[in-house]
Amino acid sequence: VVDAQAVSKFHAYFTEDLYGGGYCLTDSASMNGTFRNGEPMAAKERTVLEDGDLIGFTPEITFRFHTPDGFYEAIRRDP
C-alpha cells in the first residue's frame, strides 16, 4: 500500500509470469502513469520485470524490484 494522493487505489498491479517464470507489472491506465527504469509504461500493457528494475508510481515515489533470489543477494551484499 502506498499512502500518497498521486497514487490511485488501483494504480498498477504485479502478476506472476507463468510461462517465463518471472514477474510482471501492468499499469491500470493510472492518471499519473507508472515507470520502469525511468521510462513510462504503456497503460494496460503487461511488462516483464527484471531483478533490480526501478519502479516508479510518480517521479517521487520509486521502489527497487527484486526477485526472491535477487532480494537474497541484495541483503547479503548490503547488510
Side-chain angles (χ1 to χ4, degrees):
V1 174
V2 179
D3 188 15
Q5 284 187 313
V7 180
S8 63
K9 289 180 183 177
F10 196 61
H11 192 98
Y13 56 95
F14 294 91
T15 55
E16 193 172 358
D17 180 7
L18 299 176
Y19 301 105
Y23 299 91
C24 300
L25 179 63
T26 304
D27 178 81
S28 299
S30 62
M31 185 177 294
N32 294 315
T34 303
F35 303 85
R36 176 179 173 243
N37 298 322
E39 297 296 320
M41 294 176 50
K44 304 282 186 179
E45 256 186 50
R46 195 172 81 153
T47 300
V48 177
L49 297 174
E50 296 180 20
D51 186 63
D53 279 350
L54 188 62
I55 306 302
F57 296 113
T58 72
E60 296 81 26
I61 300 173
T62 60
F63 300 91
R64 180 77 55 194
F65 171 81
H66 286 291
T67 62
D69 290 339
F71 178 72
Y72 177 74
E73 289 301 317
I75 60 173
R76 286 188 56 206
R77 280 193 309 266
D78 293 320

